[in-house]
Amino acid sequence: MPRLSAERRHRVRFTLNGSAVEAEAEPRMLLTDFLRHELGMTGTHVGCEHGVCGACTIEINGVPARACLTLAVQADGATIRTVEALAPEPGRLSILQEAFRRHHALQCGFCTAGILMSLDNYLRQRPNPTEENLRVFLGGHLCRCTGYVPILAAAMDAAKRLREVPANA
Amino acid sequence: MSTPAMWCGQSVERVEDAALLTGRGRFIDDLGVKPGTLHAAILRSPHAHARVKAIRADPARQAPGVAAVLTGEDVTKLCASLVVGVKAPIECWPIATDRVRYVGEPVAVVVAASRYVAEDAVDLIEVDYEALPAVVDPLAALDTAQPVLHEGLRGNLASERSFCYGDPEGTFAHAAHRVSVTIRYPRNSCTPMETYGVVAEYDVGEDAYDVLANFMGPFSLHAVMARALKVPGGRFRLRTPPDSGGSFGVKQGVFPYIVLMGVASRATGRPVKWVEDRLEHLAASVSATNRVTVLDAAVDADGRVRALAWDQVEDVGAHIRAPEPATLYRMHGNLTGAYDIRHVSVRNRVVLTNKAPTGLNRGFGGPQVYYALERLMQRIAIELGLDPVEVIRRNLIPSGAFPYKTATGATLDSGDYAKAFENALADGGFAALREKQKEARAQGRVYGIGLTAAVEPSVSNMGYITTVLTPEERRKAGPKNGAQATATVALDPLGGVSVHVASVPQGQGHRTVLAQIVADALGLKPADIRVITEMDTARDAWSIASGNYSSRFAAATGGAAHLAAGKIKAKLARIAGAQLNVAANEVEFADGKARARGNPDNAVAFSRLAAASHWSPGLVPVENQALRETVFWTPPELTPPSANDEINSSLCHAFIFDFCGVEIDRTTCAVRIDKYVTMHDCGRILHPGMVAGQITGGFAHALGAALYEEYAYGPDGSFLTGTFADYLVPTAMEVPNPVILHLETPSPFTPLGTKGVGEGNCMSTPVCIANAVADALGVAEINLPLSPAKIAAHLHGAERTPRKPQAKPVAGKGRTLHGSGQAQAAAPPQAVWAMLLDPKTLAAIIPGCHGVERLSDTHFRAEVTLGVGPVTGRYKADIVLSDLTAPKAVTLTGVVTGALGNGGGTGRITLAATDDGGTTLAYEYDAEVGGKVAAIGGRLLDGAARIVIRQFFAALARHTGGKKPGYLARLFGRGA
Ligand code: FES
Ligand code: FES
C-alpha cells in the first residue's frame, strides 16, 4: 500500500456490486462513511462503529467484513458486495430475503443488511448448516428487535430452499 | 353491513420488508440534507460531578471548517430550560451550564462543515473542571449530608408522596404473617440499533423551527420542546423519517438534542445535522430507572395476600427530564399486579444522582414493580411452606370479576386469569418440568424453577403522571387525562385509499396492520391501501398522546383507523345506495366492490365510488362527501386521578403467566435457560406473526436485563459500560426459543378488542428468571443482572481477599493510590533541579508527553498519552509546584483529565547530593484515580502508576547521565 498523506484526499477505486466506482477520501475516512455518504449506498448501516454489532457487515473480496473497522483507502482495488447486490433484479427478492420476509425475521430492519450479508456468504460456504451452526455464526450480530428466533428460522428455511434450487442462489 | 374480517388475524407479509431487505430503507441518516447543512459533534463531560470553571474554545472556533462552538452560556441565551414534571425549584437544560452532573453530559457543541472536522474541533476545546464528590447510590442520595446536585433543592430528594388505599395499617396489624422483600433494580436500556439523529433548521424570517428527527413521541414533548425553543407550537415543525431503527422507548430521549440542534441552527443560520454515535448513546441517551424497593405483604395463613406496603426510591439520574418521574407512576394503578388485594399503602420518593437522566424504556416501570411483587410471591410461598403455584392460584383475580377495579384505581378491562394460568401449566408442561427438576437435583445439578404472573398495561392515560402532584396541586393545574389517538383515511381521485396516522413506528410493522384493518373495513385487499406513518406536526392530525409508546398502537391507533374507515364507509354506502337503488344499510363492501346485499350483480366498483366526491360532487349530497375522514379517539375510561389519588393509569390490561426452568453450571456459574413458557392474553390478535415477534423480541430484551445488561457506574460516578464490549447485549447464542401460548379475551374498551403486547415480557421475564435462579440456589435475596460473579458468591462462597492489599474505591470518589521510591541520578542536585523545572526537559522525559506548556514559573500544563492495561487514552495534566527549596525539595500537585478518566495527586520529591557527585532522588505520592480507568483492577492501576513513574526517572537519568543511558536507566529503575 502506498504511503498516504493525512492532509490530502486520495482517489479510491473499487468494484462495488459489479460496477467500478471511484471517489475521494481522506485516509482516515471509514469505509462505512465512504459507502454511505460519498457513494450514496445507504443500505449498509452503522450500529456501533466499534466492530461489535455487525450492522455494517459487507463482503470484501469474498469475505464478510466489518465496514466500520475498515478505512475507505484500504478498499482500493477490492471487490465489494453490499446488501444492494442481493436481490436478483428490481422487484424480486433473493431466496434468503424471501425467507426473511416470510418468517418476519426483521422488524426495524436496521441490523438486517449486515445479517443478510453474513448469511449469504455463509450459506454458500456451508449449504448444510445445523441450527446450532447458525446460532454460533449469528452470534456475531446484534439484533434488538426480533429476539433472533425468526432469524434462525428464516436462515434454516433459506438453507433448505437454496439446496433445492441451487441455480437461483 | 359488516363483512367478516378477512385480513385481520392473518400473518400477511409486511409491506415494510421489501425495501428494508434490499437496502432501500429510509432511515434518518439515509436521507440527503440541504446543501450547506452543517454537522455537529458534542464535547461531553468526563466527570460525574464537577464545576465548569472555564471553557477555552477559541482554538476550536478558529479551526478551518468550524462555524461555531456553543457552550452552556451560548445555548441558555437562545432557549429556555426544559419544563420539569415535579413541583421543585430545578432547571433542566439540554447542555451543562455551570456544572456537569453526569458522565456524558453535553458541555459544548461544535458545528462544522463535516462530522470529521467537528470531532477534530471537539478535541481542541479545553475545559477546566473542579471535580466535586459524586452521589451515586439512590439511598445515599436521601442523606442530606451528601453533595447536592441542584442547589434549588436542599437535598437530592425531588419528590415524595404517600398514598393509602383501603385499610393497609389495620390489615397488617391483624395479619397472620408479614413477608418482606428488599430489591435493588439495576439500570439498563434496550439500546436500539439505530442511534439518535436530528436535522434542525431555523427560519429567522418566520422565527420558526423545522426539525427532522427519529423521535417516537409522546408528542406531549412537542410542547416541552416548543417552550424550550421559545416559539408557539405552530412554529416548531417536527417531522419523522419514514424508517426508524428501533426505539423501545429510548428514542423519546432524543428530544433535548432536538432543542440543542435547533439552537445550533439558529446560532449559525444554517441547517445542522447531528447523528449520535454508539458511545454517546450508551453514556448519555436514556436508560430505565434504577430503583430500591421495600415491599411488605400482610398474608393469611393459607397464603392469601391481604395488603401490600410499597416503599419505592426511584433514581432518575442527574435531571428530572420529562416525562419523568413517569416511570414511577406508570404502574400506579397496577401495584397489585394480577392479584385481588384490596389494601395498599405506597411511599414514593424520587431522587437525583450523578448518573445519566432516565426516560422511556420498554416495560417502563413494569420490570421494577414486578421484580418486587413476584419475588415477594415466591418468598411468601417459601416462608409459609406453600407451593409457589398455589400461592399465585389463590391470589389471582377471580374469573368473572372483570372489569375489575384495583385498589389503586385501575380498571382491568377483561381477562380470565385463572383459565390462562391453568392452560399454561397444562399446555406448557409444568408437571414434567417439576419432574425434570427432581431428576436434575437427584444428580446433584443446580436446577431451579421460577414463576411470574403479571398484568401488562397498555395505552397510557396522559393523566397518570399527575398522580405525582397532590390533589391540591392538581386542582390548581387543572385535570389531565385521556389518550387521544388519531387516524385519517383519505380517498384519492382514482379511488385509491390512503391512511395517515401519528403512530410513528420504529419497526413494528404498523403500515401492514393498518392496511389489514382498513382493507377489512372497506372490503379491499391490503395491497389496495397505502399507509403513511411518517409524521409531520405541521400537516398531520396529532395530539399529545400521539407516538409509539405504552404499547398503544394496536389498541388505540389501530382502533382509530378502524373508526375512520367506518366513517368513510358509511358515507360511501349512502352514495352507493343511491346508485344501486337500495337503502344504505343494504350495501355491503367486498371484493373491491360495493354491492346490494343478496344481489351481488347489483354492484359498483369501489374505486369508482370512492372517486365520485372528487369528480362529481354534484351527484353526492353535501353531508355525504367522502374524501377524507379523520378520527380522534380517546377512551372515556381514562379519567384524571380522583381526589383520593385513584388512577386508571392505562386503558388495557393484558395478562401474562410465565414459568421457566434454569440450570446453573457449577463451574462457570453461567445460567442456562432450559425451558421458558410464556402465556399471553393480549385480547384480539390482528397479526400473529407480529405478536410473536413482539414477544420474542421483548423476551430477548428481558433476558439481557436478567443476565447480562447493566448501565454500571463506579462509586465516583464514572460510567463503566460505555461500549458494546462492556454493555453486553444477548446474541443468538444466548436467547432460547420461548414457548408462546395464547388466550384471547377481547378488550371491551377498544374498537377492535385489541390490547398491547410489546412490553409484557420485559415486565415478567426478568423476575421469572430470577425466581428460578433463587430457587436453584436457595437464596432469599437476589438482584439483577445475574452475572456469574454474583452467582459464584452463592455457589462457592465469598472470594478470598488477596494477600497484597489493593487500592480501594471510596464512595463518591475514585481509587486511591499511594507509593514511594528512590532513584539515583549521575548529575549533581543543582543540574537535576534545573531539569525538573525546564519545560523542554520535562517534555522529553515525561512518558507519552506531547508537549509541556509553562504557564508560570511554577505552573505547567502537559498533554500525555498513557496506557493502563488495555485502556490507552490522551490526558491533560495541570501541574503546580509548591514548597520549593532549591535545589533540595519540591511538592508537585497535579490534576489529570481525559475522556477515559481523571486523577489528581500530590508528590514530594527530595534531592540529596551523593558522594560521587550525583543525586539521590526520593519521592512519595498520594493519588486518586477516577473515571473509566479506575474500573480497571487496582493491581493494574498500581502497576501502571509505578511503570510511568519509573519511566519518568529513567528518562531523567538518560538526560543527566548522557553517556551510559542503559546503565543509568537500570539504576534509576530500582525505585518506584
Ligand atoms: S457498525 Fe460495524 S460492527 Fe457495529
Ligand atoms: S430488526 Fe431491528 S435490530 Fe434487528
Side-chain angles (χ1 to χ4, degrees), chain B residues 484-487 540-543 546 560 563 630-634:
Chain B
Q484 289 284 6
T486 71
D540 292 327
W542 63 279
S543 178
S546 295
L563 296 176
T630 296
V631 163
F632 279 81
W633 176 80
T634 184

Side-chain angles (χ1 to χ4, degrees), chain B residues 424-578:
Chain B
L425 291 173
D427 302 347
F430 187 74
L433 190 65
R434 278 255 163 104
E435 280 309 309
K436 193 167 182 189
Q437 178 182 33
K438 233 189 250 162
E439 259 168 52
R441 287 188 166 172
Q443 292 162 7
R445 284 149 59 197
V446 190
Y447 198 104
I449 291 179
L451 306 158
T452 301
V455 165
E456 174 185 3
S458 54
V459 189
S460 283
N461 182 350
M462 297 311 279
Y464 77 73
I465 179 61
T466 62
T467 318
V468 70
L469 304 176
T470 62
E472 185 50 37
E473 287 167 335
R474 287 200 298 269
R475 253 192 305 280
K476 275 196 207 136
K480 305 256 187 319
N481 68 296
Q484 289 284 6
T486 71
T488 299
V489 176
L491 304 175
D492 67 50
L494 292 176
V497 180
S498 61
V499 180
H500 297 248
V501 292
S503 72
V504 201
Q506 266 88 18
Q508 294 89 344
H510 292 183
R511 293 176 59 215
T512 302
V513 177
L514 290 167
Q516 287 175 283
I517 291 170
V518 174
D520 274 350
L522 300 177
L524 299 170
K525 298 190 294 300
D528 299 331
I529 319 285
R530 175 86 172 140
V531 183
I532 311 291
T533 50
E534 53 258 49
M535 163 99 183
D536 180 343
T537 59
R539 314 186 67 121
D540 292 327
W542 63 279
S543 178
I544 58 161
S546 295
N548 185 22
Y549 62 97
S550 78
S551 306
R552 67 195 302 283
F553 169 72
T557 312
H562 172 76
L563 296 176
K567 274 180 117 178
I568 281 266
K569 179 171 150 178
K571 291 186 164 184
L572 289 173
R574 290 216 191 91
I575 304 171

